[in-house]
Amino acid sequence: MRAASGPTAVGTELAATAADERVALIDPRFVGHTHALRLALRDPRFAAGALPGVLAVGPEARHALPRDPAGDPQAATEALEAAGVQVHRPELGTLVAAVPADDAARAEAEEAVAAVDGEAVRLRSAVKSRDGFFTTFCISPYSRYLARWCARRGLTPNQVTTASLITALIAAGCAASGQRWGFVTAGVLLIASFVLDATDGQLARYDLQYSTLGAWLDATFDRAKEYAYYAGLALGAARGGDDVWALALGAMLLMTARHTVDFSFNEASHDVTGNTSRTAALSSKLDSAGWTVWARRMIVLPIGERWALIAVLTAATTPRITLVVLLVAGTLAACYTTAGRLLRSLHRRARTDRAAEGVRALTDSGPLAELSGRLLRPLPLPRLGVPAVALLGAAVILATAWAAPLGSAWPVAAAACYALCAGVALARPLKGPLDWLLPPVFRIAEYGTILVLAARADTDGTLPAAFGLVAALAYHHYDTVYRIRGGTGAPPHWLVRAVGGHEGRTLLVTVAAALQLGDGDRTQGFTFALTTLAVVVAAVVLVESIRFWVSSQAPAVHDETGEPA
């Protein structure tokens, strides 16, 4: 970044600056905290940032600057906004940023600067304003100092994120040992990984080191760490003669479905400005009362509480107990959050086109659903008919996969019915009050079908293969979420078609089960089919995902919401 101050030769200075550099105009009378300047000048997420007497402009907005801004940041800011450039004005809180008009005002501003410890404010602002109880009181009080230590040694958030991943993978490896020392070490390392996970975001906020690659790593590594740890627990249990792969796969299904409920509900609420329901009023009231805030944040089992629970149980008990407790706690949390969202939704108006398209993209529906939707579009449905049809299709395929004889054609017929139901549900804009339920219903149907058929196959390697397939699918679905969150829309349509859509993959899995599970001597063929599908999906999705996230079009958007993860 180059800075120019004062009216003299500002235009010349700007012209001499490389086009790919960020530039700043600073009024020489400016008085304020260094961190206030940093917030306006260095944040790479915004094309332009402004404070009183300060303007920073990134390369993408340089074209809108006047040729000779005459050293007046305020006039240049107005010119940028008139040209349609969105200028970010950071919230300063107790920080000071002013342009005093006279000596008395300058002395007052300097006194205000001296009265506030800018470094302490910078440390506090490195922590999310809304986070879980465990993270807030057990991790952030010291992880923020670790973030500062990293910043002073030139470490980047991406390096810390990678260290967190490596630590979690080592923890999973220790759990896979099946020995008590391995379980204890795994629990300790899992907490260490979470400390680093908190540190990377705090480092990004502390030093304003936001990046496109960092957004991708931060968004995806949490899931990779957690699901790899589930696999480690299953491997460790297997070494002790206990098969818990079904529990591990069930935990992954539950967590992904929970997150999909959160993502889909928030996407459906994209353009909602308020909610007058009694549920929303009660929620606001509880959020304004001391202990209920933390109680509600703990009930939903956010990532901090969840990882602490997993770590303690791993060290003190067995993988089976760990996964069973996790499933019970996760189910209770899912019931609590989903019930609240259902009650809120019943009182909301019709969704906007933007929200409806976001929910549709999250369904991950492929060519079979599109075809059946076009054929069955004239079918009339009542107000809540869309989620009812989706639930019917999911119930049919799950019940048939559970009860039909192995190797029979009934699951294939049920999967075809499921594809038809998906098409009927998607044949109209998803603007109904509960239409946001479609993505989580489809996740449960697809993952659940794979889990049920793999568990019933009762063959060595089938459940691990199913775990790998669901892990690849979960990555694809999380990648879709984070693209939409970044404002770049869903993955390209060709990608969804290439991996078949949720209904196409479900049909393919049932066909493989019908062909391979009818004869006890051929059950390994089903394992091979699941493994092949997992490899194909992972390869196609990962290549496209990496291409997108390392491209210049990908957003540098980090999660600042504090939502449970």
Side-chain angles (χ1 to χ4, degrees):
M1 180 190 296
R2 299 184 61 167
S5 59
T8 307
V10 172
T12 303
E13 187 74 21
L14 286 174
T17 305
D20 61 347
E21 286 191 45
R22 193 175 179 91
V23 298
L25 301 174
I26 305 175
D27 193 306
R29 298 170 298 167
F30 175 84
V31 175
H33 285 95
T34 302
H35 190 52
L37 275 175
R38 186 182 292 110
L39 290 172
L41 302 183
R42 289 190 51 190
D43 197 327
R45 296 173 297 173
F46 305 103
L51 293 173
V54 176
L55 173 65
V57 184
E60 62 271 35
R62 288 269 300 272
H63 67 279
L65 272 177
R67 290 192 175 183
D68 186 3
D72 185 354
Q74 180 60 35
T77 301
E78 293 173 357
L80 283 177
E81 292 180 323
V85 175
Q86 186 174 1
V87 179
H88 172 63
R89 291 176 171 79
E91 295 183 9
L92 299 181
T94 57
L95 296 176
V96 176
V99 180
D102 51 40
D103 291 342
R106 170 173 289 276
E108 183 179 348
E110 290 174 345
E111 186 176 325
V113 170
V116 176
D117 185 346
E119 178 61 19
V121 173
R122 186 182 181 189
L123 271 174
R124 287 197 302 271
S125 63
V127 179
K128 284 183 183 179
S129 58
R130 184 179 185 273
D131 226 328
F133 180 89
F134 180 77
T135 306
T136 299
F137 294 104
C138 300
I139 302 298
S140 293
Y142 57 88
S143 62
R144 69 183 75 180
Y145 294 101
L146 179 59
R148 181 170 67 181
W149 183 89
C150 292
R152 290 177 175 177
R153 282 152 184 81
L155 297 177
T156 67
N158 294 349
Q159 292 171 331
V160 178
T161 302
T162 303
S164 175
L165 174 66
I166 293 172
T167 304
L169 293 179
I170 295 173
C174 291
S177 69
Q179 303 295 318
R180 177 50 52 193
W181 69 264
F183 292 143
V184 172
T185 304
V188 173
L189 289 176
L190 190 63
I191 294 297
S193 174
F194 184 68
V195 172
L196 292 173
D197 182 61
T199 301
D200 64 358
Q202 292 168 0
L203 174 58
R205 287 182 286 273
Y206 178 84
D207 211 36
L208 298 175
Q209 294 190 54
Y210 299 102
S211 68
T212 296
L213 180 60
W216 177 52
L217 296 178
D218 184 61
T220 57
F221 275 15
D222 280 350
R223 302 289 78 77
K225 290 181 287 189
E226 187 168 1
Y227 296 163
Y229 193 82
Y230 294 169
L233 287 174
L235 288 169
R239 287 180 179 273
D242 189 12
D243 187 353
V244 299
W245 276 107
L247 294 176
L249 182 49
M252 183 161 57
L253 185 160
L254 174 63
M255 294 307 160
T256 305
R258 273 197 61 199
H259 291 143
T260 306
V261 167
D262 296 335
F263 299 145
S264 186
F265 175 80
N266 291 334
E267 191 62 29
S269 306
H270 183 271
D271 299 312
V272 175
T273 57
N275 193 318
T276 58
S277 69
R278 294 181 180 179
T279 306
L282 177 60
S283 179
S284 300
K285 184 177 180 180
L286 291 175
D287 276 341
S288 64
W291 67 269
T292 60
V293 175
W294 297 114
R296 296 179 69 219
R297 293 186 188 180
M298 293 173 69
I299 288 173
V300 300
L301 201 66
I303 188 170
E305 278 73 1
R306 191 166 67 251
W307 281 30
L309 176 68
I310 295 171
V312 171
L313 290 175
T314 300
T317 64
T318 65
R320 177 173 291 275
I321 293 175
T322 300
L323 291 170
V324 168
V325 172
L326 177 63
L327 282 166
V328 171
T331 300
L332 293 175
C335 290
Y336 172 80
T337 55
T338 305
R341 283 158 169 68
L342 288 172
L343 292 173
R344 286 170 179 254
S345 297
L346 291 173
H347 296 273
R348 284 187 172 169
R349 298 176 182 175
R351 316 295 180 184
T352 63
D353 291 338
R354 161 68 176 78
E357 284 304 311
V359 173
R360 177 177 292 274
L362 289 175
T363 64
D364 187 37
S365 298
L368 290 180
E370 292 176 354
L371 177 60
S372 60
R374 286 194 294 268
L375 295 175
L376 302 173
R377 185 179 296 273
L379 289 179
L381 290 176
R383 181 169 179 261
L384 300 180
V386 168
V389 169
L391 284 168
L392 174 63
V396 167
I397 182 60
L398 289 173
T400 307
W402 180 273
L406 283 177
S408 73
W410 285 110
V412 178
C417 175
Y418 170 65
L420 287 174
C421 289
V424 171
L426 294 165
R428 53 196 45 76
L430 302 180
K431 296 184 178 182
L434 297 183
D435 288 359
W436 58 268
L437 284 172
L438 264 62
V441 167
F442 292 157
R443 294 298 85 77
I444 293 170
E446 181 182 8
Y447 297 3
T449 300
I450 296 170
L451 169 58
V452 170
L453 291 175
R456 292 190 64 200
D458 194 24
T459 303
D460 290 342
T462 304
L463 276 168
F467 187 96
L469 174 56
V470 172
L473 296 175
Y475 177 87
H476 169 51
H477 292 136
Y478 281 111
D479 185 59
T480 300
V481 166
Y482 295 123
R483 292 192 195 213
I484 295 174
R485 272 188 169 184
T488 59
H493 194 58
W494 70 261
L495 178 64
V496 178
R497 284 178 166 269
V499 294
H502 66 92
E503 78 291 351
R505 292 187 299 266
T506 303
L507 180 61
L508 184 59
V509 168
T510 59
V511 169
L515 294 176
Q516 301 296 334
L517 295 182
D519 185 347
D521 295 332
R522 300 170 58 193
T523 52
Q524 289 297 332
F526 185 56
T527 303
F528 178 77
L530 293 179
T531 303
T532 302
L533 183 57
V535 171
V536 170
V537 170
V540 174
V541 169
L542 276 173
V543 168
E544 164 55 22
S545 176
I546 293 172
R547 182 210 64 78
F548 170 77
W549 286 102
V550 300
S551 70
S552 58
Q553 289 78 30
V557 177
H558 293 243
D559 178 21
E560 306 297 327
T561 63
E563 295 172 357

